[in-house]
C-alpha cells in the first residue's frame, strides 16, 4: 500500500485544471470574505453548531442547490459531447466518470438532501412541534451527509472519479477491472452519507409518531407529513441493505475478499440484486415526499381540501409496500427465468394503480376549485402530464419480455428522467416557492419564477423527449459517441439545444434567489398564500421556538378552520409559559469532519492513518455518552417581546393581547 | 430529553455485545477452520445468525420494555416481511433460470 503521490492530484486535463484553480480560488475567497466581514463567530454559533431543524433544513437545501449545479454541469458536458457525431470534447474515460458522478450526485446529493431539507423545515411545524425528536442526531445526520457529499465531490480533482456507473456493477467495479482508487470514493463516501440518511429516517419516524400536537390523530396529518412518515419507514427498511452491500464492496476492493468477484467464487449478480433491493425503494423514497409537496400546493392553490384524503393515504402505503417487491425489473436481462421475470413484471405494473389513484385525486382536488396560478402551482400543474409520460413509459419497461428490447438504451434514460425531474425536481421547486416566505420572511419573485418555470419545463421536454426516439432507434446509454451513419445526429442535436434552455431556466432560478434577497418586499404577512396547515400559523421567518403556545387540532387543514372560525389566532399573555429548548453542540460537525478524514484516508487505502482517525470517531461517541446538557429555558419576557413584534403588524391574522 | 431514568451500568448491553462477538467469531471459525461440508456450514452459520438476531432484539432493542404490545406486534410482522423479501427473494432470484449457472 505504497503511497502514490504522483497520482494524488489529477493532472493533464485542461478542464480539470480549470476546476482545480476555480475550487482553490473559491475557497480562498470564502475564507477571506468571512474573515473580512468578521462572520466566523456568527457562522459557528448560528449555523455550524445549530440543532434547530429549520436551520439544518436550510443548510440541506443550500447544499442541494450547489449539488444540482455540479450534477447539472455534468449533464451539460455529456449533452455537449453527444451533440454531434464523433465529437472529441470528452474522451470515453472522461464520459464514464461524468455519467457516474452525475447519477450519484443527482440522486443522493441533490434529490435526497433537497427533500430532506424541506422535510426538516416543514414537518415539525406541520405537526405543531418545537423540534424533531432528536435534534442533535438531526445535526449529525446533516454533517454526515455533507461529509460524504464533499468526499465524493473532491474525487474528480484528487485521486480520480468513480467510473463504473451510478450502479457500479461488479465485475466492472471490482479491483480487477477498476484498479484505481476512483471506485473507493463510491464505496466510502456513499457509506458515510448513507449513515446520515438512515438516522434521518429514524428521527422522522419518532418525530411524527410521538411529537404531534394535541388533537392531531394520524388521519388528521397533512399529506406531506404522511408521505414523509412513509418515506422514513422506507429509508429504515432499505438503507441498511445498501450499507451492507457497500461494506461488502469495500471489503472486496480493499481487503481482498470475494463476495462479488467472480474469480474467487463470489457472485457478481449478488451486487446487482442488493443494489436494486435498495435502489428501487430509493426511487420511491425521493418520489413520495415529492407527492406530498404537490398535495399541499394543489390543495392550497385550489382553495379546497385535498380530494380523497383516505385513498391518498392508502395509495401511499400501497406504493411503499409494492416498491419493496419490484427490484428485479432493473435486471430482467440477467436471465432469472420466466417465473421470476413474470412475478416482478406484475408487481411493477401494479404500482401504476395506486399512482393512478393519486393522479385522479389531484385532478379532482382542482376540479371546481378557485385555482390561483402561482409559480408553485405551475410546477404542480406541469408535473401531472410530464409524470404521466414517465409513468406510462415505465409500464412499457415493466414488461419483462419487452424490456429485452428497451434495456440499456436511451429510452430508459429518457424514462427515468421523466420520472425523476417532474417527480422530484418540479416538486422541490414547487416546495421552495411555496415555503420560501416561511423560511425567510420574503417571497421569491413571481415574474422571475414564471421565466424559470417556462424555460425549465420547455427545456426539459426538448432535452429528454428526443431520447425516447433515439433509444427506440437503438442508441445505447453510457456511450460517449456514435457514428454519423447511425442517423442519430439531428435528435441528439435537438436534445443538446434543449439542455441549454433547461440550464437557462436554472440560471433564472439562481438569479431569482439573488434578486429576491436584495429587493423583495419584507412586509408580508405570516400567511401570504392563505394556506391551510399549521406551519402558516406562526411567524415568518419562524421564531426559534416555533410556537409560543402549541396549537390544538380539531380537523384536517387545521389552520384553515382556525381562520374561518377565528379560533386560536390570538395569544393571551396568560398563555405564555417558559419554553424548554435544546442547546447547540459542536459534536455533530466534529463527527462530520472526522468521518471525512477517516473516509478520505480509507479511500487512498492508507489503512493505518485511517485507523488512527477512526479513534476520533470513538472519542466523539464517548463524549456524547457523557454529555448531560439539559438545554435551556426561554424566559417569558423574551417570548412576549418576540410574539409582539410579529403579531402587531398590519394585515396580520394573528394577534397578541396583553 | 427532559430527564434520564437511570445512570446505572448498562450491563445487558455489555453482555449482549460480548455474546455477539463470540457468536460472530464462532461462525467465522466454523467457516474457515473446519472440514464440514458446505451445506452443513451454511446451516450452522445461518442458525448462529438467527440466534444472534434474536439475542440482540432482547439485549439492545428493548423488546421487553415496549409500552404496548400492538406496536411491537406490528414491528415484528414488518421485520419478518422484510426478512422474507430480502433473504428468500434474493435466493429465489439468484438461483433460478440462467442466473443459476
Ligand atoms: C438537469 C438536467 C439533466 C441533464 C441534462 C441530464 C442528462 C443526463 C445524461 C446525458 C445522462 C447519460 C446518458 C447516457 O447514458 O449516456 C444522464 C444519466 C443519468 N441521470 Fe441525468 N440529467 C439531468 C438531470 C438529472 C436528475 C435531476 C437526475 C436525478 C434526480 C438524474 C439522474 C441520472 C442518472 C441516475 C443517470 C444514470 C447514470 C448512469 O448511467 O450511471 N439526472 N443524465
Ligand atoms: Cu425500479
Amino acid at each position: 500500500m505504497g503511497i502514490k503521490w504522483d497520482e494524488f492530484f489529477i493532472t493533464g486535463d485542461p478542464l480539470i485544471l480549470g476546476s482545480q484553480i476555480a475550487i482553490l480560488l473559491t475557497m480562498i475567497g470564502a475564507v477571506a470574505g468571512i474573515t473580512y466581514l468578521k462572520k466566523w463567530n456568527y457562522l459557528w454559533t448560528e449555523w455550524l453548531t445549530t440543532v434547530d431543524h429549520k436551520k439544518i433544513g436550510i443548510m440541506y437545501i443550500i447544499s442541494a442547490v450547489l449539488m444540482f449545479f455540479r450534477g447539472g454541469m455534468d449533464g451539460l458536458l455529456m449533452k455537449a459531447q453527444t451533440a454531434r457525431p464523433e465529437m472529441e470534447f470528452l474522451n470515453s474515460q472522461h464520459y464514464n466518470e461524468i455519467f457516474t458522478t452525475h447519477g450519484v450526485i443527482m440522486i443522493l446529493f441533490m434529490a435526497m438532501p433537497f427533500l430532506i431539507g424541506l422535510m426538516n423545515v416543514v414537518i415539525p411545524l406541520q405537526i405543531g412541534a418545537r423540534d424533531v425528536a432528536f435534534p442533535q442526531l438531526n445535526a449529525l445526520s446533516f454533517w454526515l451527509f455533507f461529509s460524504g457529499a464533499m468526499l465524493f465531490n473532491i474525487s474528480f480533482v484528487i485521486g480520480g472519479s468513480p467510473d463504473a456507473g451510478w450502479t457500479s456493477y461488479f465485475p466492472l467495479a471490482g479491483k480487477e477491472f477498476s484498479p484505481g482508487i476512483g471506485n473507493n470514493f463510491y464505496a466510502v463516501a456513499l457509506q458515510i452519507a448513507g449513515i446520515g440518511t438512515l438516522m434521518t429516517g429514524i428521527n422522522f419516524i419518532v418525530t411524527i409518531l410521538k411529537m404531534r400536537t394535541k388533537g392531531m390523530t394520524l388521519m388528521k396529518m397533512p399529506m406531506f407529513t404522511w408521505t414523509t412518515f412513509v418515506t422514513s419507514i422506507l429509508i429504515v427498511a432499505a438503507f441498511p441493505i445498501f450499507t451492507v452491500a457497500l461494506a461488502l464492496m469495500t471489503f472486496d476492493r480493499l481487503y481482498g475478499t470475494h463476495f462479488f468477484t467472480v474469480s474467487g467464487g463470489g457472485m457478481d449478480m449478488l451486487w446487482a440484486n442488493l443494489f436494486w433491493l435498495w435502489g428501487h425503494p430509493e426511487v420511491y423514497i425521493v418520489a413520495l415526499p415529492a407527492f406530498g409537496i404537490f398535495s399541499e400546493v394543489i390543495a392550497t392553490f385550489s382553495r379546497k381540501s385535498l380530494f380523497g384524503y383516505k385513498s391518498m393515504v392508502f395509495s401511499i402505503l400501497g406504493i411503499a409496500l409494492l416498491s419493496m417487491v419490484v427490484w428485479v425489473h432493473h435486471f430482467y436481462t440477467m436471465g432469472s427465468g420466466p417465473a421470476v421475470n413474470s412475478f416482478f413484471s406484475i408487481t411493477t405494473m401494479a404500482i401504476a394503480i395506486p399512482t393512478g389513484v393519486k393522479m385522479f385525486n389531484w385532478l379532482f382536488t382542482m376540479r371546481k376549485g378557485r385555482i390561483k396560478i402561482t409559480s408553485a402551482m405551475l410546477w404542480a400543474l406541469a408535473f401531472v402530464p410530464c409524470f404521466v409520460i414517465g409513468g406510462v413509459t415505465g409500464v412499457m419497461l415493466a414488461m419483462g419480455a419487452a424490456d429485452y428490447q428497451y434495456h440499456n438504451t436511451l429510452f430508459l434514460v429518457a424514462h427515468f428522467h421523466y420520472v425523476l425531474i417532474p417527480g422530484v425536481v418540479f416538486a422541490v421547486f414547487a416546495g421552495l416557492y411555496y415555503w420560501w416566505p416561511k423560511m425567510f420572511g420574503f417571497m421569491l419573485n413571481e415574474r422571475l419564477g414564471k421565466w424559470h418555470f417556462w424555460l425549465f419545463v420547455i427545456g426539459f421536454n426538448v432535452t429528454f423527449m428526443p431520447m425516447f426516439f433515439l433509444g427506440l432507434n437503438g442508441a445505447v446509454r453510457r456511450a460517449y459517441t456514435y457514428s454519423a451513419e447511425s442517423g442519430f445526429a439531428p435528435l441528439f442535436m435537438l436534445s443538446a439545444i434543449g439542455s441549454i434552455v433547461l440550464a437557462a431556466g436554472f440560471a433564472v432560478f439562481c438569479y431569482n434567489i439573488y434578486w429576491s434577497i436584495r429587493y423583495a418586499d419584507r412586509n408580508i404577512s405570516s400567511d401570504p398564500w392563505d394556506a391551510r396547515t399549521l406551519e402558516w400559523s406562526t411567524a415568518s421567518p419562524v421564531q426559534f421556538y416555533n410556537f409560543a403556545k402549541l396549537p390544538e387540532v380539531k380537523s384536517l387543514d387545521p389552520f384553515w378552520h382556525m381562520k374561518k372560525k377565528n379560533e386560536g389566532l390570538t395569544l393571551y399573555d396568560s398563555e405564555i409559559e417558559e419554553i424548554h429548548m435544546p442547546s447547540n453542540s459542536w459534536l455533530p460537525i466534529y463527527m462530520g469532519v472526522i468521518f471525512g478524514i477517516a473516509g478520505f484516508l480509507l479511500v487512498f487505502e492508507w489503512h493505518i492513518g485511517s485507523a488512527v482517525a477512526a479513534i476520533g470517531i470513538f472519542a466523539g461517541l464517548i463524549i456524547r455518552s457523557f454529555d448531560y446538557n439539559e438545554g435551556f429555558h426561554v424566559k417569558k419576557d423574551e417570548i412576549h417581546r418576540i410574539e409582539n413584534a410579529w403579531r402587531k403588524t398590519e394585515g396580520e391574522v394573528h394577534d397578541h393581547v396583553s | 430529553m427532559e430527564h434520564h431514568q437511570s445512570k446505572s451500568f448498562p450491563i445487558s448491553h455489555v453482555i449482549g455485545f460480548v455474546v455477539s462477538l463470540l457468536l460472530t467469531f464462532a461462525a467465522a471459525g466454523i467457516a474457515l477452520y473446519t472440514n464440514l461440508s458446505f451445506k452443513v456450514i451454511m446451516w450452522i452459520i445461518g442458525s448462529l445468525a438467527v440466534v444472534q438476531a434474536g439475542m440482540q432484539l432482547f439485549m439492545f432493542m428493548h423488546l421487553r420494555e415496549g409500552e404496548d404490545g400492538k406496536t411491537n406486534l406490528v414491528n415484528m410482522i414488518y421485520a419478518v416481511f422484510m426478512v422474507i423479501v430480502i433473504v428468500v427473494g434474493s435466493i429465489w432470484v439468484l438461483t433460478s433460470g440462467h442466473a443459476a449457472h
Side-chain angles (χ1 to χ4, degrees):
Chain A
M1 73 188 173
I3 296 165
K4 301 191 192 98
W5 285 107
D6 51 325
E7 289 175 15
F8 190 74
F9 284 109
I10 300 296
T11 48
D13 186 317
L15 273 176
I16 290 183
L17 185 66
S19 332
Q20 281 166 334
I21 295 172
I23 291 173
L24 194 69
L25 288 180
T26 315
M27 277 177 6
I28 295 175
V31 172
I34 297 168
T35 311
Y36 178 75
L37 296 170
K38 298 201 174 67
K39 288 285 184 196
W40 281 111
N41 199 17
Y42 163 80
L43 205 62
W44 180 255
T45 51
E46 294 292 319
W47 294 93
L48 303 185
T49 58
T50 188
V51 295
D52 181 334
H53 67 98
K54 304 176 284 297
K55 287 182 175 167
I56 292 173
I58 289 169
M59 292 196 290
Y60 265 118
I61 292 170
I62 294 172
S63 318
V65 172
L66 290 175
M67 288 295 105
F68 199 165
F69 183 76
R70 159 81 209 264
M73 277 315 225
D74 285 347
L76 289 180
L77 288 174
M78 288 189 286
K79 287 281 94 186
Q81 163 61 23
T82 53
R84 305 202 15 76
E86 276 151 86
M87 280 271 273
E88 283 172 22
F89 173 53
L90 304 173
N91 60 33
S92 63
Q93 172 61 20
H94 204 163
Y95 192 84
N96 292 349
E97 292 177 7
I98 288 185
F99 69 66
T100 303
T101 53
H102 167 80
V104 170
I105 287 178
M106 281 299 198
I107 291 193
L108 286 152
F109 301 140
M110 189 285 288
M112 289 291 282
F114 223 132
L115 291 163
I116 291 179
L118 289 171
M119 279 154 55
N120 257 296
V121 172
V122 176
I123 295 301
L125 295 170
Q126 271 197 340
I127 62 173
R130 294 212 165 101
D131 208 320
V132 293
F134 309 114
Q136 191 165 332
L137 191 71
N138 199 22
L140 180 61
S141 287
F142 171 76
W143 287 110
L144 289 183
F145 143 73
F146 190 75
S147 178
M150 289 302 110
L151 187 59
F152 191 84
N153 269 277
I154 56 166
S155 67
F156 85 112
V157 289
I158 298 178
S161 287
D163 57 1
W166 92 281
T167 48
S168 281
Y169 277 177
F170 279 78
L172 177 60
K175 206 66 178 176
E176 212 180 337
F177 298 101
S178 301
I181 62 158
N183 276 69
N184 294 352
F185 273 111
Y186 181 97
V188 176
L190 296 195
Q191 186 70 284
I192 295 175
I195 301 171
T197 309
L198 185 55
M199 293 197 266
T200 301
I202 295 170
N203 213 337
F204 277 87
I205 291 178
V206 181
T207 305
I208 293 172
L209 283 181
K210 295 284 178 191
M211 312 260 298
R212 277 166 292 139
T213 191
K214 200 170 157 205
M216 183 175 282
T217 55
L218 285 179
M219 290 312 258
K220 292 199 180 87
M221 296 199 305
M223 201 44 68
F224 185 46
T225 305
W226 255 114
T227 54
T228 298
F229 179 51
V230 176
T231 279
S232 306
I233 296 174
L234 274 181
I235 288 178
V236 175
F239 264 76
I241 306 173
F242 197 41
T243 304
V244 170
L246 284 172
L248 299 183
M249 173 192 253
T250 311
F251 279 128
D252 270 13
R253 290 192 54 86
L254 263 53
Y255 307 113
T257 56
H258 294 286
F259 292 104
F260 306 127
T261 31
V262 192
S263 55
M267 207 174 197
D268 50 353
M269 284 316 294
L270 179 59
W271 166 266
N273 181 70
L274 290 177
F275 181 89
W276 287 113
L277 255 169
W278 160 78
H280 189 87
E282 164 65 13
V283 179
Y284 282 88
I285 289 169
V286 293
L288 285 180
F291 292 168
I293 295 174
F294 287 129
S295 302
E296 303 294 336
V297 167
I298 288 175
T300 300
F301 294 112
S302 305
R303 305 158 146 279
K304 281 172 65 192
S305 49
L306 197 64
F307 182 90
Y309 178 88
K310 266 196 189 153
S311 63
M312 235 18 170
V313 171
F314 286 114
S315 47
I316 297 168
L317 293 171
I319 290 176
L321 199 72
L322 280 172
S323 79
M324 293 303 307
V325 288
V326 297
W327 75 95
V328 174
H329 65 213
H330 295 274
F331 48 91
Y332 286 136
T333 53
M334 180 177 103
S336 267
V340 171
N341 279 11
S342 309
F343 176 84
F344 285 94
S345 289
I346 292 168
T347 50
T348 303
M349 285 188 250
I351 290 199
I353 300 167
T355 315
V357 170
K358 297 177 76 69
M359 280 289 165
F360 282 107
N361 281 339
W362 287 316
L363 294 178
F364 281 125
T365 307
M366 287 186 250
R367 185 166 173 266
K368 293 195 176 164
R370 282 170 292 141
I371 297 181
K372 267 209 290 200
I373 307 281
T374 57
S375 300
M377 187 61 176
L378 277 174
W379 291 107
L381 290 175
F383 157 77
V384 172
C386 293
F387 193 81
V388 167
I389 297 176
V392 170
T393 51
V395 176
M396 291 168 70
L397 286 157
M399 296 181 269
D403 183 60
Y404 276 78
Q405 186 64 24
Y406 310 128
H407 185 73
N408 218 31
T409 67
L410 290 184
F411 184 85
L412 166 79
V413 175
H415 152 70
F416 69 66
H417 283 88
Y418 260 92
V419 178
L420 284 166
I421 294 182
V424 178
V425 180
F426 287 14
V428 295
F429 283 146
L432 210 56
Y433 279 91
Y434 181 58
W435 282 305
W436 189 275
K438 197 40 47 186
M439 291 191 267
F440 300 109
F442 58 91
M443 299 212 206
L444 285 173
N445 182 292
E446 281 286 309
R447 235 179 96 84
L448 287 171
K450 283 176 188 153
W451 275 97
H452 167 206
F453 169 79
W454 285 109
L455 286 170
F456 199 93
V457 171
I458 292 172
F460 156 69
N461 280 289
V462 177
T463 308
F464 291 102
M465 189 58 85
M467 286 200 199
F468 282 122
F469 299 98
L470 281 169
L472 290 179
N473 289 342
V476 291
R477 75 187 284 203
R478 294 176 175 167
Y480 81 111
T481 196
Y482 53 93
S483 67
E485 294 77 47
S486 63
F488 296 155
L491 284 178
F492 263 121
M493 189 48 152
L494 182 61
S495 170
I497 293 170
S499 70
I500 296 172
V501 180
L502 184 97
F506 187 75
V508 174
F509 164 65
C510 296
Y511 178 68
N512 194 356
I513 293 180
Y514 166 80
W515 190 94
S516 306
I517 289 175
R518 289 211 57 172
Y519 305 113
D521 182 8
R522 259 58 177 179
N523 291 319
I524 57 163
S525 93
S526 62
D527 176 29
W529 309 119
D530 196 5
R532 319 177 71 82
T533 39
L534 287 180
E535 72 269 32
W536 302 99
S537 71
T538 189
S540 306
V542 182
Q543 57 288 48
F544 65 94
Y545 50 78
N546 291 3
F547 299 98
K549 79 166 180 224
L550 294 180
E552 208 185 315
V553 174
K554 297 204 180 95
S555 61
L556 269 178
D557 295 340
F559 183 49
W560 183 260
H561 289 102
M562 282 160 74
K563 285 188 288 191
K564 286 278 153 308
K565 298 184 197 142
N566 196 4
E567 257 177 23
L569 295 176
T570 308
L571 179 72
Y572 298 95
D573 249 5
S574 56
E575 294 174 315
I576 296 182
E577 278 171 29
E578 283 196 357
I579 296 172
H580 182 203
M581 297 298 291
S583 315
N584 284 1
S585 167
W586 55 272
L587 263 173
I589 184 171
Y590 161 82
M591 290 297 262
V593 170
I594 207 84
F595 259 99
I597 295 172
F600 182 82
L601 297 171
L602 198 60
V603 165
F604 281 84
E605 302 178 17
W606 299 342
H607 298 291
I608 298 173
S610 175
V612 172
I615 294 175
I617 298 176
F618 285 103
L621 294 176
I622 291 170
I623 295 172
R624 174 67 183 141
S625 322
F626 290 98
D627 176 8
Y628 294 119
N629 189 320
E630 298 272 331
F632 63 97
H633 289 265
V634 192
K635 295 277 170 300
K636 284 187 186 177
D637 299 352
E638 192 180 353
I639 301 170
H640 190 280
R641 190 168 44 73
I642 293 173
E643 293 299 315
N644 244 344
W646 70 276
R647 285 171 186 263
K648 294 278 178 212
T649 50
E650 211 169 311
E652 182 56 63
V653 292
H654 298 86
D655 202 2
H656 182 186
V657 181
S658 294
Chain B
M1 209 166 31
E2 293 286 307
H3 58 96
H4 20 254
Q5 293 89 359
S6 65
K7 287 181 192 165
S8 67
F9 190 72
I11 186 72
S12 71
H13 292 76
V14 174
I15 296 176
F17 183 59
V18 173
V19 176
S20 295
L21 285 179
L22 286 178
L23 287 169
T24 305
F25 282 120
I30 288 165
L32 292 174
Y33 301 115
T34 61
N35 297 323
L36 300 169
S37 74
F38 180 74
K39 228 180 168 165
V40 175
I41 291 183
M42 288 312 270
W43 276 107
I44 295 179
I45 64 178
S47 317
L48 288 177
V50 173
V51 171
Q52 179 164 169
M55 193 232 17
Q56 291 191 356
L57 276 178
F58 282 100
M59 295 303 203
F60 300 155
M61 309 307 271
H62 309 275
L63 201 61
R64 286 162 301 181
E65 301 164 23
E67 313 116 74
D68 62 318
K70 208 172 118 202
T71 315
N72 268 345
L73 187 71
V74 173
N75 283 339
M76 293 313 288
I77 292 173
Y78 175 65
V80 170
F81 169 74
M82 288 304 302
V83 169
I84 290 176
V85 167
I86 296 171
V87 179
V88 181
S90 297
I91 293 175
W92 184 43
V93 167
L94 292 171
T95 55
S96 63
H98 300 298
H101 309 302

